[in-house]
Amino acid sequence: NAGVMQNPRHLVRRRGQEARLRCSPMKGHSHVYWYRQLPEEGLKFMVYLQKENIIDESGMPKERFSAEFPKEGPSILRIQQVVRGDSAAYFCASGTEQETQYFGPGTRLLVL
Amino acid sequence: AQKVTQAQTEISVVEKEDVTLDCVYETRDTTYYLFWYKQPPSGELVFLIRRNSFDEQNEISGRYSWNFQKSTSSFNFTITASQVVDSAVYFCALRGASGTYKYIFGTGTRLKVLA
């Protein structure tokens, strides 16, 4: 049973470009969470999605960030017009309501 | 509001020493879950344990043990006879039993085990 998959594992962007991070949940999991880990810090919740619905986006920056989890395909975290402060590790986790969240390997975003 | 505090930023021990990582949490929920994750230098997050708020039994898994005390809102993690491979950042996390189930993470404790 494959775990949570994230790609790319590493992403380099120049300031002003767009970054797209993808997350495929574990089989049977319908809930996806995105977290951000800034250098030398803990993980901070960004957004919680179920298929085709955003349930809680209280941790998302108000501008430039968006997330989706379509009926088919992976969940996408999109960052428009990236800035240096967006450099971080972005983790996706999947689970069901009552289960532990299982984390993907993360995408390391570096903005030059 | 929910909060997790890991006051120890970094701990260094010599191999074979025992080490305890502290975790103190705050929540108004009567039912909640506590977790520990390990983040080795490779960067992934490895699930170690989940504990329900209504189960205060301590747990042991090999060299790892966890001490959950509701009275002091603590969920401490002890590694017995530490090994170099235990070197990592360890995160404690809290999740409510209702709402959106998001995790609240502590800032982590970096453990260095020296040979």
PDB file of all heavy atoms in Angstrom, chain A residues 66-102:
ATOM      1  N   SER A  66      -3.126  29.126  -3.034  1.00  0.00           N
ATOM      2  CA  SER A  66      -4.412  28.476  -3.229  1.00  0.00           C
ATOM      3  C   SER A  66      -4.208  26.971  -3.224  1.00  0.00           C
ATOM      4  O   SER A  66      -3.095  26.486  -3.451  1.00  0.00           O
ATOM      5  CB  SER A  66      -5.060  28.922  -4.548  1.00  0.00           C
ATOM      6  OG  SER A  66      -4.256  28.546  -5.646  1.00  0.00           O
ATOM      7  N   ALA A  67      -5.273  26.238  -2.950  1.00  0.00           N
ATOM      8  CA  ALA A  67      -5.189  24.778  -2.907  1.00  0.00           C
ATOM      9  C   ALA A  67      -6.456  24.188  -3.474  1.00  0.00           C
ATOM     10  O   ALA A  67      -7.531  24.792  -3.402  1.00  0.00           O
ATOM     11  CB  ALA A  67      -4.964  24.288  -1.474  1.00  0.00           C
ATOM     12  N   GLU A  68      -6.315  23.011  -4.055  1.00  0.00           N
ATOM     13  CA  GLU A  68      -7.474  22.297  -4.568  1.00  0.00           C
ATOM     14  C   GLU A  68      -7.248  20.801  -4.412  1.00  0.00           C
ATOM     15  O   GLU A  68      -6.118  20.321  -4.318  1.00  0.00           O
ATOM     16  CB  GLU A  68      -7.723  22.650  -6.029  1.00  0.00           C
ATOM     17  CG  GLU A  68      -6.602  22.272  -6.967  1.00  0.00           C
ATOM     18  CD  GLU A  68      -6.940  22.574  -8.423  1.00  0.00           C
ATOM     19  OE1 GLU A  68      -7.943  23.243  -8.685  1.00  0.00           O
ATOM     20  OE2 GLU A  68      -6.177  22.115  -9.286  1.00  0.00           O
ATOM     21  N   PHE A  69      -8.353  20.083  -4.400  1.00  0.00           N
ATOM     22  CA  PHE A  69      -8.311  18.622  -4.350  1.00  0.00           C
ATOM     23  C   PHE A  69      -9.443  18.153  -5.255  1.00  0.00           C
ATOM     24  O   PHE A  69     -10.562  17.924  -4.805  1.00  0.00           O
ATOM     25  CB  PHE A  69      -8.497  18.141  -2.918  1.00  0.00           C
ATOM     26  CG  PHE A  69      -8.271  16.675  -2.705  1.00  0.00           C
ATOM     27  CD1 PHE A  69      -7.626  15.887  -3.644  1.00  0.00           C
ATOM     28  CD2 PHE A  69      -8.705  16.067  -1.540  1.00  0.00           C
ATOM     29  CE1 PHE A  69      -7.417  14.532  -3.444  1.00  0.00           C
ATOM     30  CE2 PHE A  69      -8.500  14.715  -1.309  1.00  0.00           C
ATOM     31  CZ  PHE A  69      -7.863  13.955  -2.262  1.00  0.00           C
ATOM     32  N   PRO A  70      -9.160  18.013  -6.539  1.00  0.00           N
ATOM     33  CA  PRO A  70     -10.227  17.698  -7.498  1.00  0.00           C
ATOM     34  C   PRO A  70     -10.741  16.275  -7.336  1.00  0.00           C
ATOM     35  O   PRO A  70     -10.114  15.436  -6.669  1.00  0.00           O
ATOM     36  CB  PRO A  70      -9.540  17.886  -8.859  1.00  0.00           C
ATOM     37  CG  PRO A  70      -8.084  17.692  -8.580  1.00  0.00           C
ATOM     38  CD  PRO A  70      -7.857  18.176  -7.186  1.00  0.00           C
ATOM     39  N   LYS A  71     -11.854  16.021  -7.989  1.00  0.00           N
ATOM     40  CA  LYS A  71     -12.474  14.707  -7.918  1.00  0.00           C
ATOM     41  C   LYS A  71     -11.501  13.625  -8.412  1.00  0.00           C
ATOM     42  O   LYS A  71     -11.432  12.524  -7.860  1.00  0.00           O
ATOM     43  CB  LYS A  71     -13.741  14.693  -8.761  1.00  0.00           C
ATOM     44  CG  LYS A  71     -14.575  13.453  -8.614  1.00  0.00           C
ATOM     45  CD  LYS A  71     -15.868  13.600  -9.412  1.00  0.00           C
ATOM     46  CE  LYS A  71     -16.704  12.338  -9.279  1.00  0.00           C
ATOM     47  NZ  LYS A  71     -17.954  12.439 -10.066  1.00  0.00           N
ATOM     48  N   GLU A  72     -10.770  13.946  -9.441  1.00  0.00           N
ATOM     49  CA  GLU A  72      -9.768  13.025  -9.962  1.00  0.00           C
ATOM     50  C   GLU A  72      -8.399  13.688  -9.887  1.00  0.00           C
ATOM     51  O   GLU A  72      -8.265  14.871 -10.190  1.00  0.00           O
ATOM     52  CB  GLU A  72     -10.082  12.673 -11.430  1.00  0.00           C
ATOM     53  CG  GLU A  72     -11.434  12.025 -11.652  1.00  0.00           C
ATOM     54  CD  GLU A  72     -11.518  10.618 -11.075  1.00  0.00           C
ATOM     55  OE1 GLU A  72     -10.447   9.998 -10.902  1.00  0.00           O
ATOM     56  OE2 GLU A  72     -12.642  10.159 -10.789  1.00  0.00           O
ATOM     57  N   GLY A  73      -7.409  12.941  -9.497  1.00  0.00           N
ATOM     58  CA  GLY A  73      -6.059  13.478  -9.496  1.00  0.00           C
ATOM     59  C   GLY A  73      -5.612  13.948  -8.132  1.00  0.00           C
ATOM     60  O   GLY A  73      -6.358  13.903  -7.142  1.00  0.00           O
ATOM     61  N   PRO A  74      -4.379  14.432  -8.081  1.00  0.00           N
ATOM     62  CA  PRO A  74      -3.793  14.805  -6.793  1.00  0.00           C
ATOM     63  C   PRO A  74      -4.297  16.150  -6.285  1.00  0.00           C
ATOM     64  O   PRO A  74      -4.909  16.930  -7.021  1.00  0.00           O
ATOM     65  CB  PRO A  74      -2.298  14.889  -7.123  1.00  0.00           C
ATOM     66  CG  PRO A  74      -2.263  15.317  -8.554  1.00  0.00           C
ATOM     67  CD  PRO A  74      -3.443  14.624  -9.202  1.00  0.00           C
ATOM     68  N   SER A  75      -4.000  16.395  -5.044  1.00  0.00           N
ATOM     69  CA  SER A  75      -4.228  17.733  -4.487  1.00  0.00           C
ATOM     70  C   SER A  75      -3.076  18.636  -4.949  1.00  0.00           C
ATOM     71  O   SER A  75      -1.932  18.196  -5.069  1.00  0.00           O
ATOM     72  CB  SER A  75      -4.253  17.663  -2.964  1.00  0.00           C
ATOM     73  OG  SER A  75      -4.348  18.957  -2.405  1.00  0.00           O
ATOM     74  N   ILE A  76      -3.393  19.883  -5.220  1.00  0.00           N
ATOM     75  CA  ILE A  76      -2.400  20.842  -5.685  1.00  0.00           C
ATOM     76  C   ILE A  76      -2.354  22.032  -4.731  1.00  0.00           C
ATOM     77  O   ILE A  76      -3.398  22.595  -4.382  1.00  0.00           O
ATOM     78  CB  ILE A  76      -2.757  21.384  -7.088  1.00  0.00           C
ATOM     79  CG1 ILE A  76      -2.977  20.247  -8.078  1.00  0.00           C
ATOM     80  CG2 ILE A  76      -1.683  22.364  -7.563  1.00  0.00           C
ATOM     81  CD1 ILE A  76      -1.742  19.565  -8.549  1.00  0.00           C
ATOM     82  N   LEU A  77      -1.145  22.372  -4.320  1.00  0.00           N
ATOM     83  CA  LEU A  77      -0.915  23.629  -3.605  1.00  0.00           C
ATOM     84  C   LEU A  77      -0.192  24.551  -4.581  1.00  0.00           C
ATOM     85  O   LEU A  77       0.866  24.212  -5.105  1.00  0.00           O
ATOM     86  CB  LEU A  77      -0.070  23.406  -2.354  1.00  0.00           C
ATOM     87  CG  LEU A  77       0.266  24.667  -1.540  1.00  0.00           C
ATOM     88  CD1 LEU A  77      -0.996  25.254  -0.911  1.00  0.00           C
ATOM     89  CD2 LEU A  77       1.302  24.362  -0.454  1.00  0.00           C
ATOM     90  N   ARG A  78      -0.789  25.700  -4.815  1.00  0.00           N
ATOM     91  CA  ARG A  78      -0.263  26.612  -5.824  1.00  0.00           C
ATOM     92  C   ARG A  78       0.167  27.911  -5.157  1.00  0.00           C
ATOM     93  O   ARG A  78      -0.588  28.495  -4.366  1.00  0.00           O
ATOM     94  CB  ARG A  78      -1.362  26.882  -6.850  1.00  0.00           C
ATOM     95  CG  ARG A  78      -0.972  27.773  -8.006  1.00  0.00           C
ATOM     96  CD  ARG A  78      -2.189  27.957  -8.897  1.00  0.00           C
ATOM     97  NE  ARG A  78      -1.933  28.861 -10.003  1.00  0.00           N
ATOM     98  CZ  ARG A  78      -2.860  29.588 -10.610  1.00  0.00           C
ATOM     99  NH1 ARG A  78      -4.128  29.513 -10.203  1.00  0.00           N
ATOM    100  NH2 ARG A  78      -2.553  30.373 -11.605  1.00  0.00           N
ATOM    101  N   ILE A  79       1.373  28.331  -5.477  1.00  0.00           N
ATOM    102  CA  ILE A  79       1.882  29.601  -4.951  1.00  0.00           C
ATOM    103  C   ILE A  79       2.223  30.480  -6.148  1.00  0.00           C
ATOM    104  O   ILE A  79       3.100  30.145  -6.957  1.00  0.00           O
ATOM    105  CB  ILE A  79       3.135  29.407  -4.079  1.00  0.00           C
ATOM    106  CG1 ILE A  79       2.921  28.294  -3.041  1.00  0.00           C
ATOM    107  CG2 ILE A  79       3.497  30.708  -3.375  1.00  0.00           C
ATOM    108  CD1 ILE A  79       4.178  27.904  -2.281  1.00  0.00           C
ATOM    109  N   GLN A  80       1.523  31.583  -6.256  1.00  0.00           N
ATOM    110  CA  GLN A  80       1.777  32.498  -7.369  1.00  0.00           C
ATOM    111  C   GLN A  80       2.790  33.562  -6.952  1.00  0.00           C
ATOM    112  O   GLN A  80       2.875  33.944  -5.773  1.00  0.00           O
ATOM    113  CB  GLN A  80       0.466  33.175  -7.790  1.00  0.00           C
ATOM    114  CG  GLN A  80      -0.553  32.205  -8.350  1.00  0.00           C
ATOM    115  CD  GLN A  80      -1.857  32.903  -8.726  1.00  0.00           C
ATOM    116  OE1 GLN A  80      -2.619  33.296  -7.852  1.00  0.00           O
ATOM    117  NE2 GLN A  80      -2.110  33.056 -10.008  1.00  0.00           N
ATOM    118  N   GLN A  81       3.550  34.025  -7.918  1.00  0.00           N
ATOM    119  CA  GLN A  81       4.499  35.130  -7.701  1.00  0.00           C
ATOM    120  C   GLN A  81       5.328  34.903  -6.438  1.00  0.00           C
ATOM    121  O   GLN A  81       5.303  35.715  -5.508  1.00  0.00           O
ATOM    122  CB  GLN A  81       3.733  36.454  -7.635  1.00  0.00           C
ATOM    123  CG  GLN A  81       2.977  36.760  -8.912  1.00  0.00           C
ATOM    124  CD  GLN A  81       2.124  38.019  -8.798  1.00  0.00           C
ATOM    125  OE1 GLN A  81       1.535  38.280  -7.747  1.00  0.00           O
ATOM    126  NE2 GLN A  81       2.099  38.797  -9.855  1.00  0.00           N
ATOM    127  N   VAL A  82       6.058  33.814  -6.414  1.00  0.00           N
ATOM    128  CA  VAL A  82       6.788  33.421  -5.211  1.00  0.00           C
ATOM    129  C   VAL A  82       7.796  34.496  -4.807  1.00  0.00           C
ATOM    130  O   VAL A  82       8.357  35.214  -5.643  1.00  0.00           O
ATOM    131  CB  VAL A  82       7.503  32.064  -5.389  1.00  0.00           C
ATOM    132  CG1 VAL A  82       6.488  30.953  -5.591  1.00  0.00           C
ATOM    133  CG2 VAL A  82       8.513  32.110  -6.533  1.00  0.00           C
ATOM    134  N   VAL A  83       7.991  34.570  -3.491  1.00  0.00           N
ATOM    135  CA  VAL A  83       8.983  35.461  -2.903  1.00  0.00           C
ATOM    136  C   VAL A  83       9.932  34.621  -2.064  1.00  0.00           C
ATOM    137  O   VAL A  83       9.643  33.446  -1.773  1.00  0.00           O
ATOM    138  CB  VAL A  83       8.318  36.550  -2.019  1.00  0.00           C
ATOM    139  CG1 VAL A  83       7.342  37.381  -2.853  1.00  0.00           C
ATOM    140  CG2 VAL A  83       7.591  35.935  -0.829  1.00  0.00           C
ATOM    141  N   ARG A  84      11.069  35.197  -1.681  1.00  0.00           N
ATOM    142  CA  ARG A  84      12.080  34.438  -0.955  1.00  0.00           C
ATOM    143  C   ARG A  84      11.517  33.844   0.342  1.00  0.00           C
ATOM    144  O   ARG A  84      11.897  32.766   0.760  1.00  0.00           O
ATOM    145  CB  ARG A  84      13.280  35.321  -0.649  1.00  0.00           C
ATOM    146  CG  ARG A  84      14.111  35.642  -1.873  1.00  0.00           C
ATOM    147  CD  ARG A  84      15.607  35.645  -1.562  1.00  0.00           C
ATOM    148  NE  ARG A  84      16.375  35.772  -2.802  1.00  0.00           N
ATOM    149  CZ  ARG A  84      16.953  36.895  -3.201  1.00  0.00           C
ATOM    150  NH1 ARG A  84      16.886  37.983  -2.450  1.00  0.00           N
ATOM    151  NH2 ARG A  84      17.623  36.941  -4.332  1.00  0.00           N
ATOM    152  N   GLY A  85      10.618  34.558   0.970  1.00  0.00           N
ATOM    153  CA  GLY A  85      10.027  34.082   2.217  1.00  0.00           C
ATOM    154  C   GLY A  85       9.160  32.840   2.063  1.00  0.00           C
ATOM    155  O   GLY A  85       8.778  32.225   3.062  1.00  0.00           O
ATOM    156  N   ASP A  86       8.859  32.453   0.820  1.00  0.00           N
ATOM    157  CA  ASP A  86       8.090  31.217   0.591  1.00  0.00           C
ATOM    158  C   ASP A  86       8.979  29.983   0.635  1.00  0.00           C
ATOM    159  O   ASP A  86       8.478  28.852   0.642  1.00  0.00           O
ATOM    160  CB  ASP A  86       7.390  31.269  -0.777  1.00  0.00           C
ATOM    161  CG  ASP A  86       6.369  32.390  -0.873  1.00  0.00           C
ATOM    162  OD1 ASP A  86       5.801  32.776   0.178  1.00  0.00           O
ATOM    163  OD2 ASP A  86       6.132  32.879  -2.003  1.00  0.00           O
ATOM    164  N   SER A  87      10.285  30.182   0.664  1.00  0.00           N
ATOM    165  CA  SER A  87      11.205  29.046   0.734  1.00  0.00           C
ATOM    166  C   SER A  87      10.944  28.271   2.019  1.00  0.00           C
ATOM    167  O   SER A  87      11.024  28.830   3.121  1.00  0.00           O
ATOM    168  CB  SER A  87      12.666  29.527   0.710  1.00  0.00           C
ATOM    169  OG  SER A  87      12.969  30.154  -0.518  1.00  0.00           O
ATOM    170  N   ALA A  88      10.630  27.004   1.863  1.00  0.00           N
ATOM    171  CA  ALA A  88      10.248  26.182   3.013  1.00  0.00           C
ATOM    172  C   ALA A  88      10.059  24.754   2.531  1.00  0.00           C
ATOM    173  O   ALA A  88      10.123  24.475   1.330  1.00  0.00           O
ATOM    174  CB  ALA A  88       8.947  26.691   3.635  1.00  0.00           C
ATOM    175  N   ALA A  89       9.805  23.882   3.493  1.00  0.00           N
ATOM    176  CA  ALA A  89       9.379  22.522   3.163  1.00  0.00           C
ATOM    177  C   ALA A  89       7.865  22.470   3.306  1.00  0.00           C
ATOM    178  O   ALA A  89       7.321  22.930   4.320  1.00  0.00           O
ATOM    179  CB  ALA A  89      10.032  21.504   4.085  1.00  0.00           C
ATOM    180  N   TYR A  90       7.201  21.950   2.297  1.00  0.00           N
ATOM    181  CA  TYR A  90       5.738  21.851   2.310  1.00  0.00           C
ATOM    182  C   TYR A  90       5.374  20.370   2.404  1.00  0.00           C
ATOM    183  O   TYR A  90       5.738  19.578   1.532  1.00  0.00           O
ATOM    184  CB  TYR A  90       5.153  22.485   1.051  1.00  0.00           C
ATOM    185  CG  TYR A  90       5.350  23.988   1.027  1.00  0.00           C
ATOM    186  CD1 TYR A  90       6.546  24.549   0.592  1.00  0.00           C
ATOM    187  CD2 TYR A  90       4.353  24.842   1.473  1.00  0.00           C
ATOM    188  CE1 TYR A  90       6.742  25.930   0.596  1.00  0.00           C
ATOM    189  CE2 TYR A  90       4.529  26.221   1.476  1.00  0.00           C
ATOM    190  CZ  TYR A  90       5.739  26.753   1.042  1.00  0.00           C
ATOM    191  OH  TYR A  90       5.928  28.112   1.062  1.00  0.00           O
ATOM    192  N   PHE A  91       4.667  20.050   3.469  1.00  0.00           N
ATOM    193  CA  PHE A  91       4.279  18.670   3.697  1.00  0.00           C
ATOM    194  C   PHE A  91       2.782  18.492   3.473  1.00  0.00           C
ATOM    195  O   PHE A  91       1.971  19.307   3.899  1.00  0.00           O
ATOM    196  CB  PHE A  91       4.612  18.237   5.127  1.00  0.00           C
ATOM    197  CG  PHE A  91       6.080  18.049   5.383  1.00  0.00           C
ATOM    198  CD1 PHE A  91       6.851  19.094   5.866  1.00  0.00           C
ATOM    199  CD2 PHE A  91       6.681  16.822   5.128  1.00  0.00           C
ATOM    200  CE1 PHE A  91       8.209  18.923   6.101  1.00  0.00           C
ATOM    201  CE2 PHE A  91       8.039  16.647   5.364  1.00  0.00           C
ATOM    202  CZ  PHE A  91       8.810  17.703   5.845  1.00  0.00           C
ATOM    203  N   CYS A  92       2.466  17.394   2.854  1.00  0.00           N
ATOM    204  CA  CYS A  92       1.086  16.986   2.698  1.00  0.00           C
ATOM    205  C   CYS A  92       0.859  15.784   3.609  1.00  0.00           C
ATOM    206  O   CYS A  92       1.758  14.950   3.793  1.00  0.00           O
ATOM    207  CB  CYS A  92       0.859  16.615   1.236  1.00  0.00           C
ATOM    208  SG  CYS A  92      -0.648  15.728   0.899  1.00  0.00           S
ATOM    209  N   ALA A  93      -0.315  15.709   4.196  1.00  0.00           N
ATOM    210  CA  ALA A  93      -0.691  14.552   5.006  1.00  0.00           C
ATOM    211  C   ALA A  93      -2.074  14.099   4.580  1.00  0.00           C
ATOM    212  O   ALA A  93      -2.899  14.909   4.137  1.00  0.00           O
ATOM    213  CB  ALA A  93      -0.682  14.908   6.487  1.00  0.00           C
ATOM    214  N   SER A  94      -2.324  12.821   4.699  1.00  0.00           N
ATOM    215  CA  SER A  94      -3.655  12.327   4.398  1.00  0.00           C
ATOM    216  C   SER A  94      -4.163  11.461   5.530  1.00  0.00           C
ATOM    217  O   SER A  94      -3.383  10.932   6.329  1.00  0.00           O
ATOM    218  CB  SER A  94      -3.687  11.562   3.072  1.00  0.00           C
ATOM    219  OG  SER A  94      -3.119  10.260   3.207  1.00  0.00           O
ATOM    220  N   GLY A  95      -5.465  11.320   5.593  1.00  0.00           N
ATOM    221  CA  GLY A  95      -6.068  10.508   6.627  1.00  0.00           C
ATOM    222  C   GLY A  95      -7.560  10.451   6.437  1.00  0.00           C
ATOM    223  O   GLY A  95      -8.103  10.932   5.436  1.00  0.00           O
ATOM    224  N   THR A  96      -8.224   9.839   7.399  1.00  0.00           N
ATOM    225  CA  THR A  96      -9.681   9.889   7.493  1.00  0.00           C
ATOM    226  C   THR A  96     -10.007  10.608   8.792  1.00  0.00           C
ATOM    227  O   THR A  96      -9.103  10.956   9.541  1.00  0.00           O
ATOM    228  CB  THR A  96     -10.292   8.485   7.485  1.00  0.00           C
ATOM    229  OG1 THR A  96      -9.819   7.801   8.658  1.00  0.00           O
ATOM    230  CG2 THR A  96      -9.866   7.718   6.261  1.00  0.00           C
ATOM    231  N   GLU A  97     -11.252  10.792   9.076  1.00  0.00           N
ATOM    232  CA  GLU A  97     -11.618  11.603  10.241  1.00  0.00           C
ATOM    233  C   GLU A  97     -11.037  11.060  11.533  1.00  0.00           C
ATOM    234  O   GLU A  97     -10.619  11.800  12.397  1.00  0.00           O
ATOM    235  CB  GLU A  97     -13.142  11.670  10.358  1.00  0.00           C
ATOM    236  CG  GLU A  97     -13.752  12.665   9.408  1.00  0.00           C
ATOM    237  CD  GLU A  97     -15.234  12.866   9.686  1.00  0.00           C
ATOM    238  OE1 GLU A  97     -15.724  12.320  10.692  1.00  0.00           O
ATOM    239  OE2 GLU A  97     -15.884  13.552   8.897  1.00  0.00           O
ATOM    240  N   GLN A  98     -11.044   9.774  11.672  1.00  0.00           N
ATOM    241  CA  GLN A  98     -10.651   9.206  12.954  1.00  0.00           C
ATOM    242  C   GLN A  98      -9.230   8.692  12.985  1.00  0.00           C
ATOM    243  O   GLN A  98      -8.775   8.197  13.995  1.00  0.00           O
ATOM    244  CB  GLN A  98     -11.619   8.066  13.325  1.00  0.00           C
ATOM    245  CG  GLN A  98     -13.054   8.510  13.456  1.00  0.00           C
ATOM    246  CD  GLN A  98     -13.223   9.624  14.472  1.00  0.00           C
ATOM    247  OE1 GLN A  98     -12.576   9.644  15.510  1.00  0.00           O
ATOM    248  NE2 GLN A  98     -14.073  10.593  14.172  1.00  0.00           N
ATOM    249  N   GLU A  99      -8.530   8.779  11.902  1.00  0.00           N
ATOM    250  CA  GLU A  99      -7.217   8.167  11.836  1.00  0.00           C
ATOM    251  C   GLU A  99      -6.083   9.161  11.972  1.00  0.00           C
ATOM    252  O   GLU A  99      -6.226  10.354  11.768  1.00  0.00           O
ATOM    253  CB  GLU A  99      -7.066   7.413  10.509  1.00  0.00           C
ATOM    254  CG  GLU A  99      -7.855   6.126  10.465  1.00  0.00           C
ATOM    255  CD  GLU A  99      -7.383   5.226   9.349  1.00  0.00           C
ATOM    256  OE1 GLU A  99      -6.327   5.495   8.765  1.00  0.00           O
ATOM    257  OE2 GLU A  99      -8.081   4.248   9.057  1.00  0.00           O
ATOM    258  N   THR A 100      -4.930   8.611  12.284  1.00  0.00           N
ATOM    259  CA  THR A 100      -3.698   9.379  12.286  1.00  0.00           C
ATOM    260  C   THR A 100      -3.435   9.923  10.892  1.00  0.00           C
ATOM    261  O   THR A 100      -3.746   9.290   9.887  1.00  0.00           O
ATOM    262  CB  THR A 100      -2.548   8.438  12.700  1.00  0.00           C
ATOM    263  OG1 THR A 100      -2.831   7.950  14.005  1.00  0.00           O
ATOM    264  CG2 THR A 100      -1.216   9.161  12.683  1.00  0.00           C
ATOM    265  N   GLN A 101      -2.871  11.113  10.835  1.00  0.00           N
ATOM    266  CA  GLN A 101      -2.448  11.655   9.551  1.00  0.00           C
ATOM    267  C   GLN A 101      -1.081  11.092   9.209  1.00  0.00           C
ATOM    268  O   GLN A 101      -0.173  11.068  10.042  1.00  0.00           O
ATOM    269  CB  GLN A 101      -2.376  13.176   9.618  1.00  0.00           C
ATOM    270  CG  GLN A 101      -3.737  13.836   9.751  1.00  0.00           C
ATOM    271  CD  GLN A 101      -3.628  15.337   9.885  1.00  0.00           C
ATOM    272  OE1 GLN A 101      -2.641  15.953   9.493  1.00  0.00           O
ATOM    273  NE2 GLN A 101      -4.664  15.948  10.443  1.00  0.00           N
ATOM    274  N   TYR A 102      -0.948  10.672   7.973  1.00  0.00           N
ATOM    275  CA  TYR A 102       0.330  10.158   7.497  1.00  0.00           C
ATOM    276  C   TYR A 102       0.922  11.161   6.519  1.00  0.00           C
ATOM    277  O   TYR A 102       0.239  11.611   5.600  1.00  0.00           O
ATOM    278  CB  TYR A 102       0.143   8.790   6.848  1.00  0.00           C
ATOM    279  CG  TYR A 102      -0.218   7.740   7.869  1.00  0.00           C
ATOM    280  CD1 TYR A 102      -1.546   7.465   8.159  1.00  0.00           C
ATOM    281  CD2 TYR A 102       0.766   7.067   8.579  1.00  0.00           C
ATOM    282  CE1 TYR A 102      -1.886   6.534   9.122  1.00  0.00           C
ATOM    283  CE2 TYR A 102       0.428   6.123   9.543  1.00  0.00           C
ATOM    284  CZ  TYR A 102      -0.896   5.864   9.807  1.00  0.00           C
ATOM    285  OH  TYR A 102      -1.227   4.951  10.776  1.00  0.00           O
TER     286      TYR A 102
END
